[in-house]
Amino acid sequence: MEPELLQVIVNGGITYHHLHRPAFILGGGFALVAVSLSLLLIFQHLRSYTNPSEQKWIVVVLFMVPVYATESLLSLWNHKLSLACDILRNCYEAFALYSFGSYLVACLGGEGRVLEILETESRRQLVKPLLEGGEEENSPQLRRKSSMVNFLFHPDLIGRDLFNIERFGLVQYMILKTLSAFLAFLLELFGVYCDGSFKWYCGYPYIAVVLNFSQMWALYCLVQFYNVTHERLKPIKPLAKFISFKAIVFATWWQGFGISLLCAFGALPNDPKFRTGLQDFLICIEMAVAAMAHSYVFPAEAYHYVPHSKNGKAIIETAKEEVKLSGSGKEEKKEAFVEKTETRVEAAGTSVTESVQDIVVQGGQHVVKDVVLTINQAMGPVEKGVTKIHEKFHRRSTSSGVETEEESEIEVEKH
């Protein structure tokens, strides 16, 4: 520890210097548990990589815990690494949020199937029986409203537009989060970022406000998409997955924001090392809890069996259930046994190298495609606006040119 380390009084003369070592040891223990459990679960998915369209996104979401735990422990060990670790953590958080949305789409059967589901749900809502009160709330007039208005109040009415808005919401957060992270790094180099400081000449409060709105919008888009499709997602128990993931993304960000506010208002010591150290220590603990939760909500056992496999091992399970039959009148009750036979095909283990290659290549291509589509969607209205402005200037210049010619003709006639 540096001798010039600022001594921060916390409780009864206990200083940051005294708290750092036990916090690092305790946080390291929690981080070790988190990383071990997560890597074990990731390895299980890579060995049973039977459904690439779903599992590549599951692995990305699961890898969020080792990334958070490792970077938080490094930042706790050396405060000078806190900004770099925070930048990497923020970039991966945005990518993980996008991956979770892609996982839900994959569970529904892919983008094409999702569009069909949303259009079917939209038509179903529009033709609800009058006895259900559908005439007032689900009339065709609602469909004619803008997609954004219906997205806020009636997301089940806008059909395929819901998927486009949801994708745009997730990708815009991924882009803004990444750009903001590198902007924070540049501002820090010039000494004007001031992490955790709410001063008008610092970059932190402005970036924090933009990211808050961006994250809230991304999560709201994900919630609206879930609200419309949750019935079809029941087989994967989406609520537990949604809560476990949202708790990491939402809680850690607002936790850091709340610690900064408490430090700014004097409720906690307003020292950068204490502020970042407390955030990193809490994240190490939370990642251990998240790793245990992921073991239950993202189990690899569901991918050990596939419908058909040439190299798989067939397993036949027979279950017997006792059923009591009661007759009418004075007939005696009889007992019967119902035998149920279930055949499953156990998938052969897959190569971890091939699984990782599929995640990197196929997942990367999917991300690039969605980023390009989102940028095109964002640039579309801008291009239309620029075109309209050029047309207005062109009409004005044309009309002024005609007026000038008419005036010159009149002057010539007078002469």
Side-chain angles (χ1 to χ4, degrees), residues 42-116:
I42 290 172
F43 180 78
Q44 291 174 353
H45 275 282
L46 294 178
R47 285 292 296 158
S48 302
Y49 199 66
T50 57
N51 192 342
S53 62
E54 295 180 13
Q55 285 179 282
K56 65 169 166 278
W57 304 119
I58 292 178
V59 170
V60 172
V61 172
L62 295 178
F63 201 70
M64 187 178 183
V65 170
V67 169
Y68 267 48
T70 303
E71 292 179 355
S72 297
L73 188 62
L74 287 175
S75 178
L76 188 60
W77 170 62
N78 189 346
H79 175 72
K80 294 179 180 179
L81 300 174
S82 60
L83 181 60
C85 290
D86 189 57
I87 289 174
L88 294 175
R89 190 167 56 204
N90 290 338
C91 292
Y92 196 84
E93 173 199 317
F95 178 52
L97 181 61
Y98 164 83
S99 300
F100 185 77
S102 299
Y103 166 67
L104 296 181
V105 172
C107 290
L108 291 169
E111 294 184 4
R113 178 59 181 157
V114 168
L115 295 177
E116 293 177 4

Side-chain angles (χ1 to χ4, degrees), residues 351-362:
S351 170
V352 174
T353 304
E354 293 176 356
S355 303
V356 173
Q357 184 179 359
D358 178 79
I359 292 172
V360 174
V361 176
Q362 298 298 325

Side-chain angles (χ1 to χ4, degrees), residues 175-412:
I175 295 174
L176 283 179
K177 191 80 170 180
T178 304
L179 294 178
S180 297
F182 285 102
L183 178 60
F185 178 73
L186 292 177
L187 292 177
E188 183 67 19
L189 292 179
F190 291 98
V192 291
Y193 179 62
C194 311
D195 186 22
S197 179
F198 291 88
K199 297 178 181 178
W200 66 270
Y201 53 83
C202 295
Y204 171 78
Y206 305 104
I207 294 178
V209 170
V210 172
L211 289 182
N212 276 336
F213 280 106
S214 178
Q215 187 191 68
M216 292 294 291
W217 177 248
L219 289 173
Y220 184 76
C221 291
L222 198 59
V223 169
Q224 292 292 73
F225 181 77
Y226 168 78
N227 287 336
V228 177
T229 60
H230 71 278
E231 290 293 335
R232 296 178 182 268
L233 289 170
K234 276 186 177 180
I236 66 167
K237 299 178 181 179
L239 185 59
K241 293 178 170 62
F242 189 80
I243 292 176
S244 64
F245 176 78
K246 186 177 178 182
I248 298 177
V249 176
F250 194 77
T252 53
W253 166 255
W254 282 101
Q255 177 179 274
F257 190 72
I259 290 174
S260 299
L261 284 176
L262 292 175
C263 292
F265 288 105
L268 291 175
N270 193 12
D271 174 58
K273 294 181 179 180
F274 176 83
R275 182 172 58 246
T276 57
L278 178 59
Q279 168 75 338
D280 295 327
F281 175 69
L282 292 177
I283 289 178
C284 288
I285 298 175
E286 292 159 355
M287 290 305 104
V289 177
M292 290 184 284
H294 284 172
S295 300
Y296 290 98
V297 299
F298 292 105
E301 287 77 8
Y303 300 98
H304 287 176
Y305 303 96
V306 293
H308 302 283
S309 176
K310 293 182 180 179
N311 300 321
K313 177 183 177 182
I315 296 178
I316 300 176
E317 294 182 352
T318 302
K320 290 184 178 181
E321 297 182 2
E322 183 178 351
V323 180
K324 293 184 178 181
L325 302 176
S326 58
S328 58
K330 298 181 179 180
E331 293 183 5
E332 296 181 357
K333 294 182 179 179
K334 298 180 181 180
E335 294 184 357
F337 291 92
V338 177
E339 186 174 295
K340 181 181 179 182
T341 302
E342 181 180 357
T343 303
R344 297 183 296 176
V345 179
E346 185 177 4
T350 55
S351 170
V352 174
T353 304
E354 293 176 356
S355 303
V356 173
Q357 184 179 359
D358 178 79
I359 292 172
V360 174
V361 176
Q362 298 298 325
Q365 292 176 353
H366 195 280
V367 172
V368 171
K369 183 192 72 173
D370 279 354
V371 169
V372 171
L373 288 175
T374 301
I375 293 176
N376 290 335
Q377 287 179 352
M379 293 300 296
V382 176
E383 292 177 354
K384 289 181 180 179
V386 172
T387 302
K388 289 182 179 179
I389 292 174
H390 281 299
E391 290 176 354
K392 288 183 179 180
F393 277 113
H394 179 70
R395 285 196 296 267
R396 289 182 180 179
S397 61
T398 303
S399 60
S400 61
V402 172
E403 292 178 357
T404 305
E405 290 180 359
E406 292 178 352
E407 290 178 357
S408 60
E409 291 177 358
I410 294 174
E411 290 179 358
V412 170

